[in-house]
Coordinates of all heavy atoms in Angstrom, one line a residue:
N47 N -0.9 11.3 4.4 CA -1.4 10.1 5.0 C -0.4 9.4 5.9 O -0.7 8.8 6.9 CB -1.9 9.1 3.9 CG -3.2 9.6 3.3 OD1 -4.0 10.3 4.0 ND2 -3.5 9.2 2.1
R48 N 0.9 9.5 5.5 CA 1.9 8.8 6.3 C 2.1 9.5 7.6 O 2.2 8.8 8.6 CB 3.2 8.9 5.5 CG 4.4 8.1 6.2 CD 5.6 8.1 5.2 NE 6.7 7.3 5.8 CZ 7.5 7.8 6.7 NH1 7.5 9.0 7.1 NH2 8.5 7.0 7.2
R49 N 2.0 10.8 7.6 CA 2.1 11.5 8.9 C 1.0 11.2 9.8 O 1.1 11.0 11.0 CB 2.2 13.1 8.7 CG 3.5 13.6 8.1 CD 3.6 15.1 8.3 NE 2.5 15.7 7.6 CZ 2.6 16.1 6.3 NH1 3.7 15.9 5.6 NH2 1.6 16.8 5.7
N50 N -0.2 11.1 9.3 CA -1.4 10.8 10.1 C -1.4 9.3 10.6 O -1.8 9.0 11.7 CB -2.7 11.0 9.3 CG -3.1 12.5 9.4 OD1 -3.8 12.9 10.3 ND2 -2.7 13.3 8.4
F51 N -0.8 8.5 9.7 CA -0.7 7.1 10.1 C 0.2 6.9 11.3 O -0.1 6.2 12.3 CB -0.2 6.2 8.9 CG 0.1 4.8 9.3 CD1 -0.9 3.9 9.4 CD2 1.4 4.4 9.4 CE1 -0.6 2.6 9.8 CE2 1.7 3.1 9.8 CZ 0.7 2.2 9.9
L52 N 1.4 7.6 11.2 CA 2.4 7.5 12.3 C 1.8 8.1 13.6 O 2.1 7.6 14.7 CB 3.7 8.2 11.9 CG 4.5 7.6 10.8 CD1 5.6 8.5 10.3 CD2 5.0 6.2 11.2
K53 N 1.1 9.2 13.4 CA 0.5 9.9 14.6 C -0.5 9.0 15.3 O -0.4 8.8 16.5 CB -0.1 11.2 14.2 CG -0.7 12.0 15.3 CD -1.2 13.3 14.8 CE -1.8 14.2 16.0 NZ -2.3 15.4 15.5
T54 N -1.4 8.4 14.5 CA -2.5 7.6 15.2 C -1.9 6.3 15.7 O -2.3 5.8 16.7 CB -3.6 7.4 14.1 OG1 -3.1 6.8 13.0 CG2 -4.3 8.7 13.8
S55 N -1.0 5.7 14.9 CA -0.4 4.4 15.4 C 0.4 4.6 16.6 O 0.4 3.8 17.5 CB 0.4 3.8 14.3 OG 1.5 4.6 13.9
G56 N 1.1 5.8 16.7 CA 1.9 6.1 17.9 C 1.0 6.3 19.1 O 1.3 5.8 20.2
A57 N -0.2 6.9 18.9 CA -1.1 7.1 20.0 C -1.7 5.8 20.5 O -1.9 5.5 21.7 CB -2.2 8.1 19.6
A58 N -2.0 4.9 19.5 CA -2.5 3.6 19.8 C -1.5 2.8 20.6 O -1.9 2.1 21.6 CB -2.9 2.9 18.5
A59 N -0.2 2.9 20.2 CA 0.8 2.1 20.9 C 0.9 2.6 22.3 O 1.1 1.8 23.3 CB 2.1 2.3 20.2
A60 N 0.9 3.9 22.5 CA 0.9 4.5 23.9 C -0.2 4.0 24.7 O -0.1 3.7 25.9 CB 0.9 6.0 23.8
G61 N -1.4 3.9 24.0 CA -2.6 3.4 24.7 C -2.4 2.0 25.2 O -2.9 1.6 26.3
I62 N -1.8 1.2 24.4 CA -1.5 -0.2 24.7 C -0.7 -0.3 26.0 O -1.0 -1.1 26.9 CB -0.9 -1.0 23.6 CG1 -1.8 -1.1 22.4 CG2 -0.3 -2.3 24.0 CD1 -1.2 -1.7 21.2
F63 N 0.3 0.6 26.1 CA 1.1 0.6 27.3 C 0.4 1.1 28.5 O 0.7 0.7 29.7 CB 2.4 1.4 27.1 CG 3.4 0.7 26.2 CD1 3.6 1.2 24.9 CD2 4.1 -0.4 26.6 CE1 4.5 0.6 24.1 CE2 5.0 -1.0 25.8 CZ 5.2 -0.6 24.5
L64 N -0.5 2.0 28.3 CA -1.3 2.6 29.4 C -2.4 1.7 30.0 O -2.7 1.7 31.1 CB -1.9 3.9 29.0 CG -1.0 5.1 28.9 CD1 -1.7 6.3 28.2 CD2 -0.5 5.5 30.2
I65 N -2.9 0.9 29.1 CA -4.1 0.0 29.5 C -3.8 -0.8 30.7 O -4.6 -0.8 31.7 CB -4.6 -0.8 28.3 CG1 -5.3 0.0 27.3 CG2 -5.5 -2.0 28.8 CD1 -5.6 -0.7 26.0
P66 N -2.7 -1.5 30.8 CA -2.5 -2.3 32.0 C -2.5 -1.5 33.3 O -3.0 -1.9 34.3 CB -1.1 -3.0 31.8 CG -1.0 -3.0 30.3 CD -1.6 -1.7 29.9
H67 N -1.9 -0.3 33.2 CA -1.8 0.6 34.4 C -3.2 1.1 34.8 O -3.5 1.2 36.0 CB -0.9 1.8 34.1 CG 0.5 1.3 33.9 ND1 1.4 0.9 34.9 CD2 1.3 1.3 32.7 CE1 2.6 0.6 34.3 NE2 2.5 0.8 33.1
L68 N -4.0 1.4 33.7 CA -5.3 1.9 34.0 C -6.2 0.8 34.6 O -7.0 1.0 35.5 CB -6.0 2.4 32.7 CG -5.4 3.7 32.1 CD1 -6.0 4.0 30.8 CD2 -5.6 4.8 33.1
L69 N -6.0 -0.4 34.1 CA -6.8 -1.6 34.6 C -6.4 -1.9 36.0 O -7.2 -2.2 36.9 CB -6.6 -2.8 33.7 CG -7.2 -2.8 32.3 CD1 -6.8 -4.0 31.5 CD2 -8.7 -2.7 32.4
K70 N -5.1 -1.8 36.3 CA -4.6 -2.1 37.7 C -5.2 -1.1 38.6 O -5.6 -1.4 39.7 CB -3.1 -2.0 37.7 CG -2.5 -2.3 39.0 CD -1.0 -2.3 39.0 CE -0.4 -2.6 40.3 NZ 1.1 -2.6 40.3
A71 N -5.2 0.2 38.2 CA -5.8 1.3 39.1 C -7.3 1.1 39.3 O -7.8 1.2 40.4 CB -5.5 2.6 38.5
A72 N -8.0 0.6 38.2 CA -9.4 0.4 38.4 C -9.7 -0.8 39.2 O -10.7 -0.8 39.9 CB -10.0 0.3 37.0
A73 N -8.8 -1.8 39.2 CA -9.1 -3.0 39.9 C -8.8 -2.9 41.4 O -9.4 -3.6 42.2 CB -8.3 -4.2 39.3
R74 N -7.9 -2.0 41.8 CA -7.5 -1.9 43.1 C -8.6 -1.3 44.0 O -9.1 -0.2 43.7 CB -6.2 -1.0 43.3 CG -5.7 -1.0 44.7 CD -4.4 -0.2 44.8 NE -4.7 1.2 44.6 CZ -3.7 2.1 44.6 NH1 -2.4 1.8 44.7 NH2 -4.0 3.4 44.5
P75 N -9.0 -2.0 45.0 CA -10.1 -1.5 45.8 C -9.7 -0.2 46.6 O -8.5 0.0 46.9 CB -10.5 -2.6 46.8 CG -9.2 -3.4 46.9 CD -8.5 -3.3 45.5
A76 N -10.7 0.6 46.9 CA -10.4 1.8 47.7 C -9.9 1.4 49.1 O -10.4 0.4 49.7 CB -11.7 2.7 47.8
R77 N -9.0 2.1 49.7 CA -8.4 1.8 51.0 C -9.3 2.5 52.0 O -9.1 3.7 52.3 CB -7.0 2.2 51.1 CG -6.1 1.7 50.0 CD -6.0 0.2 50.0 NE -4.8 -0.3 49.2 CZ -4.5 -1.5 48.9 NH1 -5.3 -2.5 49.4 NH2 -3.5 -1.8 48.2
K78 N -10.2 1.7 52.6 CA -11.1 2.3 53.6 C -10.5 2.3 55.0 O -10.1 1.3 55.4 CB -12.5 1.6 53.6 CG -13.2 1.7 52.3 CD -14.6 0.9 52.3 CE -15.3 1.1 51.0 NZ -16.6 0.3 51.1
V79 N -10.5 3.5 55.6 CA -10.0 3.6 56.9 C -11.2 3.6 57.9 O -12.1 4.3 57.8 CB -9.3 5.0 57.1 CG1 -8.7 5.1 58.5 CG2 -8.1 5.1 56.1
G80 N -11.0 2.7 58.9 CA -12.0 2.5 59.9 C -11.6 3.1 61.3 O -10.4 3.4 61.4
I81 N -12.5 3.3 62.2 CA -12.1 3.7 63.5 C -13.0 3.0 64.6 O -14.2 2.8 64.3 CB -12.3 5.3 63.6 CG1 -11.8 5.8 65.0 CG2 -13.8 5.7 63.4 CD1 -11.6 7.3 65.0
Q82 N -12.4 2.6 65.6 CA -13.1 2.1 66.8 C -13.6 3.2 67.6 O -12.9 4.2 68.0 CB -12.1 1.2 67.6 CG -12.5 1.0 69.1 CD -13.9 0.3 69.2 OE1 -14.8 0.9 69.7 NE2 -14.0 -1.0 68.9
L83 N -14.9 3.2 67.8 CA -15.6 4.4 68.4 C -15.2 4.6 69.9 O -15.5 5.7 70.5 CB -17.1 4.2 68.3 CG -17.7 4.3 66.9 CD1 -19.2 4.1 66.9 CD2 -17.3 5.6 66.2
Y84 N -14.5 3.6 70.5 CA -14.0 3.8 71.8 C -13.0 5.0 71.8 O -12.8 5.6 72.9 CB -13.4 2.6 72.4 CG -13.0 2.7 73.8 CD1 -13.9 2.6 74.8 CD2 -11.6 2.8 74.2 CE1 -13.6 2.7 76.2 CE2 -11.3 2.9 75.5 CZ -12.2 2.9 76.5 OH -11.9 3.0 77.8
T85 N -12.4 5.2 70.7 CA -11.5 6.3 70.5 C -12.1 7.7 70.9 O -11.5 8.5 71.5 CB -10.9 6.4 69.1 OG1 -10.2 5.2 68.8 CG2 -10.0 7.6 68.9
V86 N -13.4 7.8 70.5 CA -14.2 9.0 70.7 C -15.4 8.7 71.6 O -16.5 9.2 71.4 CB -14.6 9.6 69.4 CG1 -13.5 10.2 68.6 CG2 -15.3 8.6 68.5
R87 N -15.1 7.9 72.7 CA -16.2 7.5 73.5 C -16.9 8.6 74.2 O -18.2 8.5 74.3 CB -15.6 6.5 74.6 CG -14.4 7.0 75.4 CD -13.7 5.9 76.0 NE -12.5 6.3 76.7 CZ -11.3 6.5 76.2 NH1 -11.2 6.4 74.8 NH2 -10.2 6.9 76.9
K88 N -16.2 9.6 74.7 CA -16.9 10.7 75.4 C -17.8 11.5 74.4 O -18.9 11.9 74.8 CB -15.9 11.6 76.1 CG -15.2 11.0 77.3 CD -14.2 11.9 77.9 CE -13.5 11.3 79.1 NZ -12.5 12.2 79.7
E89 N -17.3 11.7 73.3 CA -18.0 12.4 72.2 C -19.2 11.6 71.8 O -20.3 12.2 71.6 CB -17.1 12.7 71.0 CG -16.0 13.7 71.3 CD -14.8 13.2 72.1 OE1 -14.8 11.9 72.4 OE2 -13.9 13.9 72.4
M90 N -19.1 10.3 71.7 CA -20.2 9.5 71.3 C -21.3 9.5 72.3 O -22.5 9.5 72.0 CB -19.7 8.0 71.0 CG -19.0 7.9 69.7 SD -20.0 8.2 68.2 CE -21.2 6.9 68.3
M91 N -20.9 9.4 73.6 CA -21.9 9.5 74.7 C -22.6 10.8 74.7 O -23.8 10.8 75.1 CB -21.1 9.2 76.0 CG -20.6 7.8 76.2 SD -21.8 6.6 76.4 CE -22.2 6.8 78.2
A92 N -22.0 11.9 74.4 CA -22.6 13.2 74.4 C -23.5 13.4 73.2 O -24.6 14.0 73.3 CB -21.5 14.3 74.5
D93 N -23.0 13.0 72.0 CA -23.7 13.3 70.8 C -23.3 12.2 69.8 O -22.4 12.5 69.0 CB -23.5 14.7 70.3 CG -24.2 15.0 69.0 OD1 -25.0 14.2 68.6 OD2 -23.9 16.1 68.5
A94 N -24.0 11.1 69.8 CA -23.6 10.0 68.9 C -23.7 10.4 67.4 O -22.8 10.2 66.6 CB -24.4 8.7 69.2
A95 N -24.8 10.9 67.0 CA -25.1 11.2 65.6 C -24.1 12.3 65.1 O -23.6 12.2 64.0 CB -26.5 11.6 65.4
G96 N -23.9 13.3 66.0 CA -23.0 14.4 65.6 C -21.6 14.0 65.5 O -20.9 14.4 64.6
T97 N -21.2 13.1 66.3 CA -19.8 12.6 66.3 C -19.6 11.7 65.1 O -18.5 11.8 64.4 CB -19.5 11.8 67.6 OG1 -19.7 12.6 68.7 CG2 -18.0 11.3 67.6
L98 N -20.5 10.9 64.7 CA -20.4 10.1 63.5 C -20.3 11.0 62.3 O -19.5 10.7 61.3 CB -21.6 9.1 63.4 CG -21.7 8.0 64.4 CD1 -23.0 7.3 64.3 CD2 -20.5 7.0 64.2
K99 N -21.0 12.1 62.3 CA -21.0 13.0 61.2 C -19.6 13.6 61.0 O -19.0 13.8 59.9 CB -22.0 14.1 61.3 CG -22.1 15.1 60.2 CD -23.3 16.1 60.4 CE -23.4 17.0 59.2 NZ -24.5 18.0 59.4
L100 N -19.0 14.0 62.2 CA -17.6 14.5 62.2 C -16.6 13.5 61.7 O -15.7 13.9 60.9 CB -17.2 15.0 63.6 CG -18.0 16.2 64.1 CD1 -17.6 16.5 65.6 CD2 -17.6 17.5 63.3
L101 N -16.7 12.3 62.1 CA -15.8 11.2 61.6 C -15.9 11.0 60.1 O -14.9 10.8 59.4 CB -16.1 9.9 62.4 CG -15.7 10.0 63.9 CD1 -16.2 8.7 64.6 CD2 -14.3 10.2 64.2
A102 N -17.1 11.0 59.6 CA -17.3 10.8 58.2 C -16.7 12.0 57.4 O -16.1 11.8 56.4 CB -18.8 10.7 57.9
K103 N -16.9 13.2 58.0 CA -16.3 14.4 57.3 C -14.8 14.3 57.3 O -14.1 14.7 56.3 CB -16.7 15.6 58.0 CG -16.4 16.9 57.3 CD -16.9 18.1 58.0 CE -16.6 19.4 57.3 NZ -17.2 20.6 58.0
M104 N -14.1 13.7 58.3 CA -12.7 13.5 58.3 C -12.2 12.5 57.2 O -11.1 12.6 56.7 CB -12.2 12.9 59.6 CG -12.3 13.9 60.8 SD -11.7 13.1 62.3 CE -12.4 14.2 63.6
G105 N -13.1 11.6 56.8 CA -12.8 10.6 55.8 C -12.9 9.2 56.2 O -12.7 8.3 55.4
Y106 N -13.2 9.0 57.5 CA -13.4 7.6 58.0 C -14.7 7.0 57.3 O -15.7 7.6 57.1 CB -13.6 7.5 59.5 CG -12.4 7.8 60.2 CD1 -12.1 9.0 60.8 CD2 -11.4 6.8 60.4 CE1 -10.9 9.3 61.5 CE2 -10.2 7.0 61.1 CZ -10.0 8.3 61.6 OH -8.8 8.5 62.3

Side-chain angles (χ1 to χ4, degrees):
N47 287 334
R48 186 172 183 275
R49 285 196 301 270
N50 277 274
F51 173 77
L52 292 173
K53 183 178 180 180
T54 56
S55 61
I62 291 172
F63 287 110
L64 284 171
I65 286 172
H67 298 287
L68 292 172
L69 289 176
K70 183 178 180 181
R74 189 177 70 183
R77 307 297 195 185
K78 295 181 180 179
V79 180
I81 186 167
Q82 160 58 252
L83 295 180
Y84 187 75
T85 300
V86 288
R87 53 198 176 276
K88 292 181 180 179
E89 291 78 4
M90 286 296 297
M91 291 289 281
D93 181 6
T97 302
L98 290 172
K99 186 175 181 180
L100 289 173
L101 293 173
K103 188 174 181 180
M104 288 181 198
Y106 287 101

